[in-house]
Amino acid sequence: MESALKQGVEQSLQGSAQTIAAALDGREALLYRESPVGSQPDRGAPIFAHRLPGRPTLDGYRDDWGLATTPPLPLADDPKSSVPDGEAQYWAGVRDRYLYLYLEVVDANIEYSTPAKTGDHLSITDNRGRRLGFATAAPGPLGAAVMSGATFTGQREQRIAAFWRELPSGYALEIQAPLNAIGERLNLQVSDANTGTIAATASQAADTGPLIYPQFKLNEALRPFAQDGLRIRIVDLHGWLLANQGGVTNEEGNTLTGGLLSTLYG
């Protein structure tokens, strides 16, 4: 009897999944912002941005991101360097059509920029070949400068803002940028002015990886299929989460993980 019931539930779930897949067939605009992931060669690592519960305050802290238990993604170290300076890790999130990036960089001797010399900095390259740099003369708010190769130009990207904060081990950089100003493919590079080391998501500045994040319109498209006790998730070919609707609950609306009821069932 138990085996028959399990098989019936599995067949029901399989039917629901096929129905939802058929409803989304051919609607690539719901799945991807511009082009499907994988339609271009991925020479850079994918950047997955979590959907944030609220809009963070741009202050160089990550406390209000709602990702306290989410592990960071590392930037690859320069293989030619044996010193820790330049090592970096980052978190990415989206909220209200904005992309947020938070980076922590290991740097024992922070080199700030001067009119005569560019110090430690971060650069972002998008799929259109535009490169934006973040360098500052002191901790605090800063903007994004358009770069030409490794050189900072006098042009500014007014839509993008950032905040630089010193850490005991180096510095943190928090960035807020409209999604339409960044593009759907990125490369992040951290440069250390003292050692010349670079940590990045791609080996070359021109190489980019896909920016992936849960799609709001796709979540809305799943609402007609939502029902109590059913969780629907859509992932791409690489397993990145694009949409999440509903949750697995019992008849009383309590989750089946944790609590006295779960212990008794166990």
Side-chain angles (χ1 to χ4, degrees):
M1 179 65 73
E2 182 181 1
S3 298
L5 289 173
K6 285 183 176 180
Q7 185 176 5
V9 173
E10 290 175 0
Q11 291 175 349
S12 175
L13 287 175
Q14 184 68 35
S16 298
Q18 291 173 346
T19 299
I20 296 171
L24 296 176
D25 186 29
R27 303 176 67 183
E28 287 187 348
L30 287 177
L31 299 173
Y32 307 103
R33 287 191 295 136
E34 295 189 20
S35 56
V37 175
S39 64
Q40 302 183 45
D42 292 338
R43 298 186 178 90
I47 298 175
F48 180 76
H50 301 268
R51 183 164 293 280
L52 303 179
R55 178 177 289 190
T57 301
L58 199 64
D59 55 3
Y61 290 87
R62 196 176 54 86
D63 305 35
D64 54 355
W65 277 45
L67 302 177
T69 60
T70 302
L73 295 173
L75 291 182
D77 302 330
D78 188 341
K80 295 179 292 185
S81 174
S82 59
V83 297
D85 284 2
E87 292 180 359
Q89 57 185 11
Y90 72 95
W91 291 261
V94 290
R95 179 71 184 185
D96 298 335
R97 300 181 182 179
Y98 280 89
L99 171 68
Y100 293 88
L101 296 168
Y102 180 88
L103 296 95
E104 292 183 350
V105 183
V106 176
D107 194 341
N109 184 19
I110 301 175
E111 184 77 21
Y112 288 106
S113 297
T114 66
K117 179 184 177 182
T118 300
D120 301 334
H121 62 276
L122 166 75
S123 63
I124 298 178
T125 304
D126 61 21
N127 61 311
R128 294 162 290 191
R130 188 177 64 158
R131 194 175 184 191
L132 300 173
F134 298 84
T136 182
L142 67 151
V146 178
M147 299 182 68
S148 177
T151 304
F152 279 73
T153 69
Q155 299 179 352
R156 293 282 178 177
E157 173 52 86
Q158 302 294 338
R159 295 173 293 175
I160 300 177
F163 196 99
W164 184 300
R165 179 173 65 91
E166 284 194 10
L167 301 174
S169 59
Y171 62 90
L173 184 63
E174 186 177 18
I175 300 170
Q176 174 188 347
L179 286 167
N180 59 7
I182 284 291
E184 80 277 9
R185 302 178 66 84
L186 299 177
N187 178 10
L188 307 178
Q189 285 191 344
V190 171
S191 300
D192 186 276
N194 294 310
T195 63
T197 59
I198 294 177
T201 56
S203 57
Q204 302 293 328
D207 295 338
T208 57
L211 173 63
I212 307 168
Y213 58 88
Q215 303 292 317
F216 176 77
K217 290 183 179 180
L218 182 56
N219 255 358
E220 291 299 305
L222 294 180
R223 285 190 181 276
F225 304 99
Q227 53 183 285
D228 292 340
L230 183 67
R231 181 178 62 201
I232 306 171
R233 285 178 173 174
I234 295 181
V235 298
D236 69 3
L237 292 174
H238 305 288
W240 295 105
L241 184 66
L242 300 180
N244 185 25
Q245 185 70 252
V248 181
T249 60
N250 62 16
E251 294 180 354
E252 296 180 355
N254 299 316
T255 59
L256 289 176
T257 58
L260 178 60
L261 189 60
S262 178
T263 303
L264 290 175
Y265 282 148

